[in-house]
Amino acid sequence: MNRKKTAANFILLMTAAIWGGGFIAGKMALTGFEPATVVACRYSMGALLCAVFFFKRIRNTPPEIIKKGIAIGLVQVAGQMVQLIGLQYTSSANQSFLCSSYVAFVPFISWVMLKKRPKAKAFAAGITALTGIGLISLKDSLTIGIGDSLSVLFAVIFGIQIVMIGKLTDKDTDVAGLTFFQMLTAALAGLIICMLTGGPSAELQSESVFGILYLGILNTFVAFMAQNHAQKYTTDTAAALIMSMEALFGFLFSVLYYHEIITIKFLLGSLLCFAAVLINTVYRKGEKRGTE
């Protein structure tokens, strides 16, 4: 593994830690803000910070990069709305592992979008992930709650975003311009949703304000700049593996902050979801590395 790829993978691990804390921050933000307001605020902050630090580069962003940023931003806002609405109806610990199932979906999304047929282990990972999702989410009546369902839907949407970024970026892509227009698009889309649903609503309190600031500065500006930069130097599958570590960080932070009760059923489901990540992304000796 070359130095650039090693550095990129380390950056993605730090991104995963930030996102793990984002499950707690999202729950905190929702104590005073509606989901669309959270999306509009966090991405407005992200776009503003990006403009402040990278104004000269953004000003010279070519039209093709603007179009790519807009496309990624639209997928981004769709995923974030689904995730935040789901977070209102499930725990941050539940969602942290359910959202990590995107790793099992990435090879199949690549199959659809890039015509790259998954290897046999991807099918094993998919079955393992679905079993884990069932253990975490299914109630005694064999039904799945709305919060957990939306968390899995987010995993699919985020898998699409992972593949899109890998397809639309290369080593020559200006990350600052791409990320700015990605965030600006998400911010404007969130604001439009706010307007269509009765306008922004907020109940300012220390917990919700801290949650919004964490999401806007760390989860949005820092993390997405880091992700878009690092993904230029590593593969889609490697990126998915490392960023899925957010589930472990999210779980640990949830237990520490909310003192959530963890059942044996939840632990088994979580282990299976994480096993799916490992099955799908750990290489055997002599196996060719690359996007599945």
Side-chain angles (χ1 to χ4, degrees), residues 26-169:
K27 201 79 170 176
M28 294 170 72
L30 289 170
T31 62
F33 299 90
E34 292 296 320
T37 306
V38 174
V39 170
C41 288
R42 68 173 288 187
Y43 288 110
S44 293
M45 281 190 282
L48 179 61
L49 287 169
C50 201
V52 169
F53 284 96
F54 303 104
F55 176 74
K56 290 183 179 179
R57 288 168 59 184
I58 292 169
R59 183 178 58 186
N60 298 318
T61 303
E64 61 269 21
I65 298 299
I66 295 176
K67 292 177 183 177
K68 291 176 181 179
I70 291 172
I72 295 170
L74 290 173
V75 176
Q76 181 74 43
V77 75
Q80 289 297 299
M81 284 297 300
V82 167
Q83 182 188 16
L84 287 168
I85 293 171
L87 191 55
Q88 292 180 308
Y89 303 100
T90 190
S91 70
S92 52
N94 262 34
Q95 191 175 83
S96 66
F97 276 102
L98 293 174
C99 289
S100 74
S101 62
Y102 69 79
V103 179
F105 300 142
V106 164
F108 299 98
I109 294 168
S110 290
W111 192 5
V112 173
M113 294 177 64
L114 307 179
K115 311 303 179 185
K116 295 180 179 179
R117 190 181 189 281
K119 296 178 181 178
K121 65 180 181 181
F123 293 93
I127 293 171
T128 303
L130 288 175
T131 305
I133 288 169
L135 284 171
I136 293 173
S137 306
L138 289 177
K139 305 179 186 304
D140 293 336
S141 59
L142 297 181
T143 58
I144 183 171
I146 183 65
D148 290 345
S149 299
L150 290 174
S151 298
V152 175
L153 176 58
F154 165 77
V156 175
I157 297 172
F158 189 63
I160 292 171
Q161 183 187 344
I162 289 280
V163 175
M164 279 184 66
I165 292 174
K167 179 178 174 61
L168 297 177
T169 62

Side-chain angles (χ1 to χ4, degrees), residues 94 115 121 141 159 166 184 193 229-230 283 289:
N94 262 34
K115 311 303 179 185
K121 65 180 181 181
S141 59
L184 182 63
I193 295 171
H229 171 76
Y283 299 90
R289 297 175 181 257

Side-chain angles (χ1 to χ4, degrees), residues 239-290:
L241 166 64
I242 297 166
M243 288 189 291
S244 71
M245 296 295 179
E246 69 175 294
L248 293 178
F249 288 114
F251 167 72
L252 292 173
F253 296 154
S254 295
V255 171
L256 291 172
Y257 187 79
Y258 286 117
H259 306 289
E260 294 181 359
I261 299 174
I262 306 301
T263 64
I264 297 297
K265 183 168 168 281
F266 172 84
L267 284 176
L268 287 174
S270 303
L271 287 172
L272 285 172
C273 283
F274 195 65
V277 173
L278 297 178
I279 290 169
N280 205 38
T281 51
V282 173
Y283 299 90
R284 295 187 301 271
K285 185 177 180 180
E287 186 177 357
K288 184 179 179 181
R289 297 175 181 257

